[in-house]
Amino acid sequence: MPPRRTRPTLKDLAKRLGISESAASFALNGRPGVSEQTRKRVLALAEELQWSPHHAARTLSGITSMTVGFVLTRDVQEFGMETFYLRLLTGAQSVLSDRGYGLLFQMTHSVDEELAVLRRWSEERRVEGVIISDLRRGDPRPAYLRDLGLPAVLVGGPDPRKLIPGVTVDDGAAIRLLVEHLRDTGHRRLAYVSGPADLLHVHRRIIAFRRAADGIMAEPGVIGTDYSDEQGRAAAQRLVRAADPPDAVVFDNEVLAVAGVRTLNGAGLSVPADISVVSCEDSAICMALQPALTAVQRDPTVFGETVAQKLLRLVHNEPEPVVEAQQPTIAIRESTRQR
Amino acid sequence: MPPRRTRPTLKDLAKRLGISESAASFALNGRPGVSEQTRKRVLALAEELQWSPHHAARTLSGITSMTVGFVLTRDVQEFGMETFYLRLLTGAQSVLSDRGYGLLFQMTHSVDEELAVLRRWSEERRVEGVIISDLRRGDPRPAYLRDLGLPAVLVGGPDPRKLIPGVTVDDGAAIRLLVEHLRDTGHRRLAYVSGPADLLHVHRRIIAFRRAADGIMAEPGVIGTDYSDEQGRAAAQRLVRAADPPDAVVFDNEVLAVAGVRTLNGAGLSVPADISVVSCEDSAICMALQPALTAVQRDPTVFGETVAQKLLRLVHNEPEPVVEAQQPTIAIRESTRQR
C-alpha cells in the first residue's frame, strides 16, 4: 500500500501555473478552448505530480463521477434465467448507494466489446472503478485495466497473474462438499455437467471434481456446456445413453439442473430413486422444484456487498481489512438419497 | 410534439457573448472561475434560448452523459427472487448499449429516497433520462420529474395524470385471460392473491379481477400481500381455512405462487386435483415446478427494449412511432384442470 498523500486540487494546479481553473480543467479534459502551449504545461505538471487519469478525474475541482461500473459479457436471452447476477448486483448496489454511488451496468457480446466499454468509461471518466467477472484463460482485461489506471475488482477471483484483486470464492470447496456428500451417501458413478471450461472458475471446479471424485467417476465424467438450457438437456441425454450411466450428476448451476432433471424424467429416470442430482448454485428454483434440489449455498447478495466494499476501498485508497471469504455450505434436500 | 430546432452549441453561446467557451461552461455549471457578471449574462442568454437544464447538459460542447438511469424502490432481500426486473434491465440495456448508452441502476428504500436520487442525477447531469416503475396512488414522481425537466418513461403505465409517458401493459387483459380460462374449465370459487393495492398496476388488476370473476368469486376473493414469500404463505393459509375454500387461486407473481403451492400441499391439498393455481407472471420457475404452472406469458426482455427505445426517443426529441402494446397470452400447463 503506497503512503497516502494529499492530492492537489484543480485550484492548486491552476495557481501554480498562473492560469484560470477553467483553462486547467479544459486542458486536462482535452477540450477545445485553451492554447496548445497551455495544454502542454498543464499536462506536464499533471505528469510531474504523477496524476493518473483516474486520480485526476477524482480530484479535479472535487468533481467525481460517484459511479462504479459493472460490465458483463453474456448472452442476453440466457441471462435472464439466472438469479445469481441479479442478487450480486443488488448486494453491490446496496453498499454503493449507502455511499452515494451509482452502479453503471452494461452487458456486451464479447470480451473485445467489453474492453472498448472499459476504455470509454475510463476516458470519459464515467466511472471511478469497475467490477469485472468471468475471468478466462489468457484474459486481456486485468492488464488492460492496469494500463488504464482504473481500479477494478474481479468477481470470483483470484487473477492468476495477480494484476487485479478479486473477491475469492472457494470453487474447489463447493465441489468437494457436493462430491463428499454423494460419496458418503453411497454413490459410485459421478458425472459433472459443467459450464464452459475456458472460464477460470469452471476450470478450477473441473480440476476439483476430478480430484474429489477420483475412483468413483462415471464415463463420461465431465461434460462441458455453454450454460444454456439446450446444452444442459443435451448433456443429460448423453449421460442417459452412456454404457454405464451415472448414479449421481452434479450440475454447475440451477438452469442446467432444471434442464437436466426434465431430461432424466423424460427418459424414464426418477430423481432421486434412480439417480441423484445436485446443483452447484442454489436459488429459489432449487427449493421450488419437486424433488427440491440439494445445492451449494452461498449468498450472492453478500458476495456483491463484499465486492463493492473492496472496490470503494481501492477507489478511495483506504486500507484493506482482512476479509474472510464466504465459506460455502451444502443444503441437503430431496434430490439425493442413500444408495 | 414541438417542432425540432437546431440547438445552439456551447461555442455559439460563447461567441454570441464574446467570452471563452470554458467561461461559458463554468457559468452554466455553477462552478467557480468566472465573474458574477459573466455568469448572469450566460444564464440570461441560456434562459432566452429556453434551455432546460437537460437540454443544456446535452448540448454543452456536445458532451452528454450517454447514460440513462433506473431507480427502483424495493426490499433488497425479496428482490433477488424475481426475474422480472433482471430481464427488464437486460432488455433495456441491450437497446441502450447498441446506442452507446450506459444504464445507471440504483435501488432505494422509499419513494422519498428515490426523489433525492432523481434530483441528484438531474442536477449533476449524470443521466439524460430515467426509467421509473411501480407507480403508486398520489405518486409524487411524475410531477417531480416534469419540474426537473428530466425525460422519463414509466414502466407499466399509464400515468393517470398523463405527466409522463409510460410503456403500457394491459393488466386487465392479463387477469381476464386467467379468469376466462378458469371459468371455461369449470371453476366456480376464484380467489386472487395480489400485490400491494397501492401500486396502480395491482389496483388495475384487482378491479379487473372483481369484474371478470363476478358471480364466481370465493370469500375472501382478494387478499393483498407485499409480494413476500411470507405473506404469500399467510394468504394461502387464509384461503385453506376459509369456510368455503376456493377451487382456483390466481397468484400475482411466481414468488407468491411458489409459496402458495407449498402451503396448499402442506395443508394436504393437491394441485390441480383439489385446487387449481395460476400465476400472473411467467418465468423459468413456473415451468420447472411440478405441476408446471399455468401463467400469463409476457416477455420482460422485449418490454425492457420497448421502454429503452421510447426513452431514447424522448431524450433525442425524435418522433414517436405507433407502438403496439405487447399483448399477453396464456400458457396453459399442468396446474389447472377441468372441474
Side-chain angles (χ1 to χ4, degrees), chain A residues 188-191 209-210 213-222:
Chain A
R188 291 297 173 262
R189 294 188 313 281
L190 311 193
F209 178 79
R210 290 193 186 280
D214 188 37
I216 54 166
M217 206 153 72
E219 174 51 43
V222 178

Side-chain angles (χ1 to χ4, degrees), chain A residues 310-327:
Chain A
K310 194 178 187 88
L311 183 56
L312 287 180
R313 277 194 298 271
L314 277 179
V315 164
H316 296 290
N317 202 13
E318 290 164 5
E320 178 76 17
V322 177
V323 178
E324 61 277 30
Q326 206 183 145
Q327 281 306 313

Side-chain angles (χ1 to χ4, degrees), chain B residues 10-80:
Chain B
L10 182 70
K11 201 170 176 176
D12 300 332
L13 193 73
K15 202 169 167 186
R16 214 162 135 174
L17 293 166
I19 61 173
S20 70
E21 284 178 51
S22 54
S25 166
F26 270 48
L28 285 163
N29 283 287
R31 287 166 62 182
V34 291
S35 71
E36 196 46 41
Q37 196 192 351
T38 303
R39 185 187 318 283
K40 280 184 182 158
R41 287 176 59 213
V42 172
L43 294 180
L45 182 59
E47 196 177 328
E48 184 192 318
L49 298 173
Q50 294 189 308
W51 274 7
S52 74
H54 163 61
H55 287 168
R58 288 197 50 232
T59 53
L60 273 174
S61 349
I63 291 178
T64 63
S65 70
M66 294 296 281
T67 303
V68 305
F70 182 29
V71 58
L72 184 66
T73 297
R74 276 292 167 109
D75 181 272
V76 166
Q77 284 309 317
E78 294 298 333
F79 184 64

Side-chain angles (χ1 to χ4, degrees), chain A residues 22 26 31 61 66-67 76 82 86 90 93 97 100 103 105-107 120 126 262 287-290, chain B residues 22 26 31 61 66-67 76 82 86 90 93 97 100 103 105-107 120 126 262 287-290:
Chain A
S22 54
F26 270 48
R31 286 166 64 183
S61 342
M66 295 296 281
T67 304
V76 167
E82 283 177 72
L86 180 61
T90 303
Q93 179 297 124
S97 64
L103 180 71
F105 175 56
Q106 186 152 347
M107 285 175 70
R120 199 177 70 230
R126 288 217 221 167
R262 296 228 125 195
M287 289 176 261
L289 277 177
Q290 281 174 323
Chain B
S22 54
F26 270 48
R31 287 166 62 182
S61 349
M66 294 296 281
T67 303
V76 166
E82 282 177 71
L86 181 62
T90 304
Q93 173 306 118
S97 64
L103 180 71
F105 174 56
Q106 186 151 347
M107 286 174 70
R120 200 177 68 228
R126 288 216 222 169
R262 296 228 126 197
M287 289 176 262
L289 278 177
Q290 280 172 325

Side-chain angles (χ1 to χ4, degrees), chain B residues 256-272:
Chain B
L256 294 175
V258 167
V261 168
R262 296 228 126 197
T263 305
L264 295 174
N265 290 343
L269 293 175
S270 173
V271 177

Side-chain angles (χ1 to χ4, degrees), chain A residues 158-175:
Chain A
D159 171 19
R161 287 172 295 167
K162 297 188 167 49
L163 294 176
I164 59 172
V167 174
T168 305
V169 169
D170 193 340
D171 286 296
I175 286 285

